[in-house]
Amino acid sequence: MKFADITGWGKCAPPAKLTNEDLSTFLDTDDEWIVSRTGMKERRISHVPVSDLAYVACAHALAAAGKSADDVDLIIFGSCTVDQVVPNAASRVQQLLGADNAACMDLNTACTSGMYGLSVATAMIRTGSVKNALVVGAEVTSVLMDWSNRDVAILFGDGAAAFFLETSDEKAGVVAESLGCYGKNRDILDVTGWGAKYANQGLTLGETQWNFDGQEIFKRAVVGMSRACEKVLEKEGMAKEEIDLVVPHQANLRIIDALAKRMGTGEEKVYINIQRYGNMSAATAPMALVEAIEEGRVAPGANLLMPAFGGGLTWSAHLLRWGSRIAPLGTSEVELPPCDKTGLQLIQDIVAAKKTAGA
Ligand code: UT7
C-alpha cells in the first residue's frame, strides 16, 4: 500500500505585527480582555497579496524536501481569501515557482482549507493520480475584515504554511482523517460582501459585514473537534494515550483548553502558537505543525493529531504519522519584499482604500 509522506515544510509570516495595544487604539477593547478571552497577544498583517505569502512558504517546503519546482505534480491552495477567483491562486504559485508540470487547484473550506488540502493531496498520491503535491494553507483576512467590529477584528491575522507530500512505501503522512460539516449551522459564521452573490446587490465587494455568533461557534468547535478526534482514533484503532502531540487549529486558547480537557490530554502534549499569530484561518493548523517541527516538538515516527474547524461550519481531525526526517534537506532564499509599515499603518491603509472605493 502506498502512503503520502510529508517530506518538506515551510512557512511565511509577514513581518508587520498588530498588537492588542494597537487594536485598542481604534476599537473599544484592551489587552487584558483579548488575552484572557482568546490567548492572543499579536497577529501579522500582510503587505503583499496572499499568493506571495503562499509562494514563499511553498519555496521553503520544496527546498526542505530537496526538490526543484520541475518535480511538482500538483499544487493545492487552501484559502478563502484568494487574490482572484479566475485565474485561481494555485496557478499564481505555479507561475512564481516555475512549477510548469503541476496541476493547480484552489480549495475553500474556510479555516480547515489547509487540512482538507492535505486530505485531497494524500488521497490523490495514494491512488496514484499524482506522485507528489505541494499543499499550502494561506490567508490574508486583513483585507476582508470589518475593522470597526471588535467582536471579530481582534481574532484574525495573516500568514501561510506549506507542505510537500510524496509517495512512500512507509506508513507516513496522513494515515486517517475524519471530515464533516455542520451545514445546518452555516449562518452563525456568515460574511456579507464577500462573494459573487453580492455583486448585484449594490454592495462594494470587499466591504464586509461579519455576522458572527462567537459563543455558538465556540460550542460547536469544541464538540465538532472532539467528536472528529474520537472518530479518527477509532478508525485507526489507536488509543489517545498513543498520541505524541496534538496540533490543533488555533482560534481561541479556551477552545483548545476545553478540547484538551474533554480528551484528557495534558498541556505538555498540545502545541500552541496562538499568542503570536491569532487565527490565520487556513494557515493556522499548517503553521502550528511547521513551528512544532522547527521547535523540535515532533520526533521521527511521532503520532500527531490535528483537529480543526471553520466557517461552514466545517470540522476535521487528521491523524499523522511523522516520517523519518525532521531536518530540512535544504533551504530557500526566497523571501518577501521588505515592509516599511507597521501593522497598524497597513490596517489604516486598508480602511482608507475601502472608504475611497465606496465613496
Ligand atoms: O475559526 C472560526 C472563527 N473563530 C471563532 O468563531 C471563535 C469562537 N468564539 C470565540 O472565540 C469567543 O466566543 C469570542 C472570543 C469571539 C468571544 O468571547 P466570549 O467569551 O464568548 O465573549 P462574549 O461574546 O460572550 O462577550 C462577553 C462581553 C460582551 O459584553 P457584555 O455583553 O457582557 O457587556 C461583549 O460585548 O465582552 C464584550 N466583548 C468585548 N470586550 C472587549 C466582545 N468583544 C470584545 C472585545 N473587547 N474585543
Side-chain angles (χ1 to χ4, degrees):
M1 192 193 278
K2 292 284 180 201
F3 290 90
D5 193 6
I6 299 174
T7 58
W9 51 92
K11 69 177 182 185
C12 180
K17 293 180 183 174
L18 185 72
T19 63
N20 293 348
E21 285 78 13
D22 290 334
L23 286 164
S24 67
T25 64
F26 64 96
L27 289 171
D28 180 14
T29 190
D30 56 67
D31 178 59
E32 197 277 327
W33 191 96
I34 300 174
V35 172
S36 63
R37 298 291 179 124
T38 70
M40 298 170 187
K41 294 197 167 105
E42 59 188 31
R43 63 289 295 141
R44 304 296 178 94
I45 303 298
S46 184
H47 61 301
V48 295
V50 71
S51 304
D52 292 20
L53 299 184
Y55 163 53
V56 174
C58 285
H60 287 277
L62 261 186
K67 300 288 182 206
S68 70
D70 284 345
D71 297 323
V72 182
D73 276 359
L74 170 68
I75 300 170
I76 300 181
F77 197 122
S79 181
C80 57
T81 55
V82 288
D83 307 327
Q84 260 176 282
V85 176
V86 181
N88 71 6
S91 62
R92 177 66 179 146
V93 173
Q94 186 209 51
Q95 183 185 41
L96 290 167
L97 285 172
D100 298 345
N101 302 317
C104 293
M105 70 167 95
D106 291 0
L107 185 158
N108 170 21
T109 57
C111 296
T112 57
S113 305
M115 300 310 299
Y116 270 61
L118 274 186
S119 284
V120 174
T122 299
M124 289 181 72
I125 291 170
R126 292 186 73 174
T127 55
S129 300
V130 294
K131 287 191 296 302
N132 65 54
L134 263 175
V135 176
V136 60
E139 217 78 84
V140 173
T141 314
S142 56
V143 290
L144 288 156
M145 181 48 64
D146 173 359
W147 287 106
S148 67
N149 180 352
R150 70 175 182 175
D151 294 347
V152 286
I154 60 150
L155 296 174
F156 292 92
D158 302 335
F163 298 105
F164 187 78
L165 285 68
E166 55 186 305
T167 188
S168 168
D169 294 322
E170 304 295 322
K171 187 170 185 178
V174 175
V175 295
E177 69 265 87
S178 174
L179 308 176
C181 181
Y182 294 132
K184 281 185 187 149
N185 307 113
R186 65 197 293 273
D187 297 338
I188 63 176
L189 204 179
D190 172 292
V191 189
T192 57
W194 183 353
K197 159 176 158 182
Y198 299 101
N200 299 327
Q201 294 186 8
L203 290 169
T204 307
L205 280 179
E207 187 67 63
T208 58
Q209 187 185 330
W210 290 61
N211 308 302
F212 183 91
D213 187 341
Q215 290 194 356
E216 279 305 311
I217 300 167
F218 191 114
K219 283 183 219 157
R220 282 178 175 78
V222 175
V223 173
M225 287 198 290
S226 34
R227 284 195 190 143
C229 287
E230 282 160 21
K231 275 192 195 165
V232 78
L233 287 169
E234 197 182 308
K235 237 182 186 178
E236 190 56 17
M238 189 178 277
K240 56 187 180 200
E241 293 73 25
E242 294 176 73
I243 296 298
D244 296 298
L245 192 66
V246 179
V247 186
H249 177 54
Q250 320 259 326
N252 187 320
L253 186 57
R254 290 186 296 134
I255 292 179
I256 298 173
D257 288 345
L259 174 72
K261 201 168 161 203
R262 275 175 86 111
M263 292 182 59
T265 310
E267 59 183 41
E268 71 291 349
K269 279 197 175 186
V270 183
Y271 183 79
I272 289 165
N273 64 358
I274 192 170
Q275 66 283 5
R276 292 197 281 279
Y277 300 117
N279 181 353
M280 293 174 288
S281 183
T284 303
M287 179 77 98
L289 179 53
V290 170
E291 295 204 333
I293 299 163
E294 289 173 349
E295 291 169 25
R297 301 281 303 272
V298 177
N303 292 320
L304 309 173
L305 182 59
M306 299 189 67
F309 73 97
L313 298 167
T314 60
W315 50 260
S316 60
H318 289 72
L319 196 52
L320 274 69
R321 187 172 160 76
W322 199 256
S324 53
R325 188 165 50 76
I326 48 168
L329 286 177
T331 52
S332 167
E333 292 187 351
V334 171
E335 56 182 31
L336 292 178
C339 174
D340 58 2
K341 294 195 171 169
T342 64
L344 192 54
Q345 286 169 332
L346 290 169
I347 298 304
Q348 286 161 347
D349 288 352
I350 291 167
V351 172
K354 282 188 188 176
K355 272 205 186 114
T356 310

